[in-house]
Each structure stands twice: as C-alpha cells, then as structure tokens.
Amino acid sequence: MANVVVIGAQWGDEGKGKITDLLSKSADVVVRSQGGVNAGHTVVVQGQTFKLHLIPSGILYPDTECVIGSGTVIDPKVLLEEIAQLHELGVSTDNLFISQTAHVTMPYHRLIDMASEEMRGEHKIGTTGRGIGPTYADKSERTGIRILDLLHLDESEDKFVWAIEYKNNILEKLYGLDPLDPKEVIAEYREYAEKLRPHVVDSSLKVFEGIKAKQNILFEGAQGTLLDIDHGTYPYVTSSNPIAGGACVGAGVGPTIIDRVIGVAKAYTTRVGEGPFPTELEDEIGELLGNIGAEFGTTTGRRRRCGWFDAVIGRYAARINGLDCVAITKLDVLDSLDEIKVCVAYDIDGETCEHFPSNANLFARCQPIYKTMPGWNKPTTECRSLEELPKEALSYLEFLAELMDVPIAIVSLGAGREQTIIVEDPIHGPKRALLHRNGEPVA
C-alpha cells in the first residue's frame, strides 16, 4: 500500500495528467484536492485524446474510484458537460464522487472574474475568467455556496437569494453590468443539483475508508508549485495551494498518511499568463519549443510562453514539496536542438542567487545564469529504457537530477501512455531511481 501525491514542480502544464493516468493504473482511489475548472489535464490513450478539467485522470480506469475533494471549487455546469463528454467517449463515471463541502462557482463569480481582470488594465494577472478566484474569495469571506447548499436548495434558498442580490450590487455599481435574476439562477442550479446528487459523498470519510482498507491512494495536483497562492510568484498565482501540503488540506487527511511525493516537470519550462519568467525565450527556439510541444492550454487554448529548464525553481519545488522523486516530461521536444541550456542560478543586480527569491521585485530582475549542454539530434520517442536514450540525453537528465538533488523516476517521451520510461514506480516499484541523492548514478 502506498499513498502518493503528484504535484506540478513548475508553473503548471507540466504533463501531470499523463503521469497521474500512468500511476492510476496502480491506484485504487485518485483524489483531486484543489483548484477548479481553470485546470486542465490532457491524456492520450490509444490515439484518443481526453481533456479533463475537474475530474481526476483516474476516471479512465473503470475500477478506480475518483474523488473531487472539499478543497476544490466546482462549476456544476462545466462538470456536467465534462461528464457528458466522457460518456460520449464510452467512459463511465459511476466511480466519480464529489465532496459535499466543496464550494460552488456561481454565475456572478465568472462575471466578476472577467470584469475585475479587465479593470486591472496593465496590472492584469492572466486569470482564465472561470470564476475560480472569486469563488475562493467567497469561501474565505464565509459567504460561499457549498455543494451541501445546492443539494438542499429548499432549505437554503434564502441564502442563494441573498448571495445573488449581494453580488448584483457589485455587478451593477462597481462594474456597470446587468444584474442576475435570482429565480433564473436558482432554477438553473436546482437542475444541476439533481444531476450531481448521486455522486455526492463525505469525501474525507470516503478517502479515510480507503486508507483503512490499505488501498493505494493517489492525490492528484492541479496547477503547479509556482502558482501556489502562498509560495508562488504572487500575485501571478492561482487561488489555492497546489503544493504537496495542500493535498492533505483539500482531501481532508493527515500528513502522516502520505508515503511519497512526486513532482512533475517538463524538460524545459513554460508558463501561461502574466508575470516574470527568467528563462523565457522570445526567439525562434522558444517558437520551436511551443510548436513541437503543442504548448496551448487545455482549458483556455492560450499559447504558453516557453523557456529553458530553470533549476532554481526546480530546487525550490523540491524544498517546498519535500519531493521524493521527479517525472520529467516532453524530453522528446528537445530532440532536434544542437545545444541545450539549463539555468543553474540567477544574477540579481550583479550578485549570484541560487535560491528562488520571495520578493516579487527581485524576481522580476532575475537574469538566468546558464550552463550549456550538447544536444543529441536523435529521436527519442521510441525509447523505452534509459539504455536506449542517446548518451547526451541521459547526461542531461542526470544533470537535472543533480541540480535539484532529487532522483528522476519517470521520463515521458510523448503524449501516449506507452511513450514512457518507468525508472521507478512510485506506488509499487523498488526503491530505485535514475540518480541517488548524493549525485551518483545507479549501477
């Protein structure tokens, strides 16, 4: 039995969906613990592409139970659309469970999200406009609507009416928008409630029962470490805690039950939206990485900014999350490059910095200090073992592991399940990895 947390070690979009899907084969329960429909996981199975936003990637395995935890925020309309799309593709959602205490994204959340972003002007943060931030804000303000309220609308209708009228004041007076009709909104959400009702459970109890039964539990993260509201590149962050510690809070379990934490990082770096990005490439190489890597957001379709691998944020992710191992994805995207650069430290006003600065102004002035490595100019998509990789590719991976001081357990070489080198299965596998923590290769 093993309870494993999978998190993003960069700015999200690292390929967590594929890694979670791979590990879900060995998991009995997969738990999504934070975020909302602003997240997106793309999984390719036998040539068929599945785009998931809120439902855990484990849903593609019929015997795996999938839990959307209380730390998430749920847009019922989008969730039901996602369920319908899975059904059209022949995927059952009988094993999908939704936390009764998760908060609900309402129409006014989406309107406020888009209007406030527009009002920010040059200070915009790059929100997806899906209402996630305003939903979490209401949760903290203790004026939110929970799934429980949705299921008991007859008892909580006054709460809905009050919330809608309260937000109408903001929509009209602050943003100059038309008010929402409480009756129409309540009628719409009443329909959602009945469709979701069969899936709603006490999610913390559900997960705890799996732990007592010694099942394998996989905690699936959304977004990435550098988007964490407390530990990311604030204010250009999400509204929840995508780090490993957030999995315990959002799932409703204690930290002592976590056995392993695996971070997912691309072989290069990307980010979506606004904010500093020290290794960003605004040239033909950045364009090439974006085109070969199909760097477009699963949720928004926005083009991702691309840059070289940043080992400073890699080390930071290892520290903040307590990473046991790393999955490196999209190594194949680098196949055609003559040389590859890795950021090993930053230059800040003439001084070398090897650690991620919490000061946003300092981070904005960071200039990357690079080490240049030879490329391999050979395709790697058909490689299925470390021994099959070009020696330059293996050296590159070893260098990344050494810089982060974390062993590499999985290497992804394409979107398909089969395009993967499993060095170590974090759930069932032996304690073996590409690189030991002391930096010496495994014999």
Side-chain angles (χ1 to χ4, degrees):
M1 184 274 292
N3 301 319
V4 177
V5 177
V6 176
I7 59 92
Q10 295 164 321
W11 274 286
D13 308 311
E14 302 95 347
K16 296 181 297 299
K18 175 182 175 178
I19 301 305
T20 303
D21 172 67
L22 287 169
L23 298 178
S24 295
K25 183 178 181 180
S26 302
D28 300 296
V29 183
V30 180
V31 186
R32 170 76 180 276
S33 54
Q34 49 75 221
V37 297
N38 57 338
H41 289 163
T42 299
V43 180
V44 180
V45 181
Q46 297 178 343
Q48 191 170 34
T49 300
F50 298 86
K51 296 193 178 218
L52 304 170
H53 300 281
L54 194 58
I55 297 176
S57 301
I59 199 69
L60 301 181
Y61 293 94
D63 296 327
T64 300
E65 295 185 329
C66 292
V67 179
I68 301 175
S70 62
T72 61
V73 294
I74 295 173
D75 186 325
K77 180 180 179 181
V78 179
L79 176 56
L80 287 166
E81 288 173 352
E82 191 171 336
I83 289 172
Q85 289 169 2
L86 286 171
H87 291 171
E88 288 177 7
L89 294 170
V91 178
S92 171
T93 55
D94 290 346
N95 279 343
L96 175 65
F97 301 94
I98 301 168
S99 172
Q100 61 185 354
T101 53
H103 278 248
V104 177
T105 296
M106 302 292 290
Y108 49 75
H109 290 132
R110 294 190 293 270
L111 292 170
I112 290 172
D113 198 0
M114 291 184 285
S116 63
E117 179 77 345
E118 184 177 348
M119 186 174 281
R120 287 174 183 268
E122 63 180 22
H123 300 291
K124 64 181 180 178
I125 59 175
T127 174
T128 61
R130 301 301 181 95
I132 308 303
T135 310
Y136 275 112
D138 280 4
K139 177 179 179 177
S140 296
E141 196 182 39
R142 292 162 291 182
T143 58
I145 303 290
R146 301 196 295 178
I147 292 290
L148 273 172
D149 300 315
L150 200 62
L151 296 188
H152 299 91
L153 246 170
D154 289 339
E155 300 171 19
S156 58
E157 187 168 339
D158 287 348
K159 182 177 182 178
F160 276 75
V161 172
W162 177 87
I164 295 166
E165 290 179 344
Y166 174 60
K167 297 299 180 179
N168 277 342
N169 281 317
I170 297 173
L171 292 172
E172 291 181 277
K173 296 176 182 177
L174 181 59
Y175 298 117
L177 298 175
D178 293 333
L180 295 166
D181 184 332
K183 290 183 179 180
E184 288 183 5
V185 174
I186 290 171
E188 177 186 354
Y189 275 67
R190 194 183 297 277
E191 289 186 20
Y192 298 152
E194 293 314 307
K195 292 177 180 178
L196 292 177
R197 190 181 297 277
H199 297 281
V200 177
V201 297
D202 180 335
S203 60
S204 176
L205 178 59
K206 177 75 179 171
V207 176
F208 181 71
E209 288 173 343
I211 293 168
K212 284 188 67 177
K214 300 191 181 303
Q215 293 182 316
N216 293 319
I217 315 291
L218 185 63
F219 298 87
E220 173 185 282
Q223 288 98 21
T225 298
L226 274 294
L227 293 177
D228 188 275
I229 193 166
D230 290 304
H231 303 286
T233 50
Y234 191 90
Y236 304 102
V237 293
T238 190
S239 301
S240 60
N241 293 109
I243 60 171
C248 294
V249 178
V253 299
T256 54
I257 68 99
I258 303 299
D259 297 304
R260 305 290 300 277
V261 179
I262 178 168
V264 185
K266 280 177 183 162
Y268 49 102
T269 310
T270 64
R271 79 170 299 178
V272 172
E274 308 300 318
F277 183 2
T279 66
E280 183 173 11
L281 294 168
E282 299 182 271
D283 57 13
E284 65 276 5
I285 295 180
E287 189 79 11
L288 180 142
L289 293 177
N291 291 336
I292 296 178
E295 296 297 352
F296 298 92
T298 302
T299 298
T300 64
R302 289 183 295 179
R303 188 174 183 87
R304 299 174 186 139
R305 301 154 65 191
C306 299
W308 297 118
F309 188 90
D310 189 332
V312 180
I313 66 173
R315 285 192 292 269
Y316 179 70
R319 169 164 63 90
I320 291 295
N321 294 290
L323 296 183
D324 291 293
C325 55
V326 177
I328 296 293
T329 64
K330 294 196 172 184
L331 182 68
D332 56 297
V333 174
L334 307 179
D335 284 354
S336 63
L337 298 178
D338 294 324
E339 62 178 31
I340 300 166
K341 294 183 180 181
V342 179
C343 174
V344 297
Y346 298 143
D347 180 300
I348 306 177
D349 302 332
E351 295 189 8
T352 299
C353 177
E354 295 184 351
H355 302 287
F356 172 75
S358 298
N359 185 314
N361 292 327
L362 283 181
F363 187 59
R365 299 204 300 273
C366 286
Q367 297 299 314
I369 298 173
Y370 287 120
K371 175 179 173 59
T372 301
M373 303 190 69
W376 42 94
N377 271 310
K378 296 177 184 175
T380 59
T381 54
E382 299 300 320
C383 296
R384 298 295 179 265
S385 68
L386 295 179
E387 292 74 20
E388 294 177 34
L389 287 173
K391 66 179 181 2
E392 296 87 356
L394 187 58
S395 295
Y396 179 69
L397 291 172
E398 290 175 338
F399 186 55
L400 299 189
E402 181 180 351
L403 285 171
M404 292 185 290
D405 193 24
V406 179
I408 294 173
I410 297 172
V411 181
S412 174
L413 303 157
R417 278 179 178 170
E418 73 285 355
Q419 294 178 298
T420 312
I421 298 172
I422 305 291
V423 185
E424 172 194 354
D425 182 342
I427 294 182
H428 285 313
K431 298 289 184 180
R432 190 175 83 88
L434 175 63
L435 213 71
H436 287 305
R437 284 190 180 276
N438 63 10
E440 296 190 5
V442 171

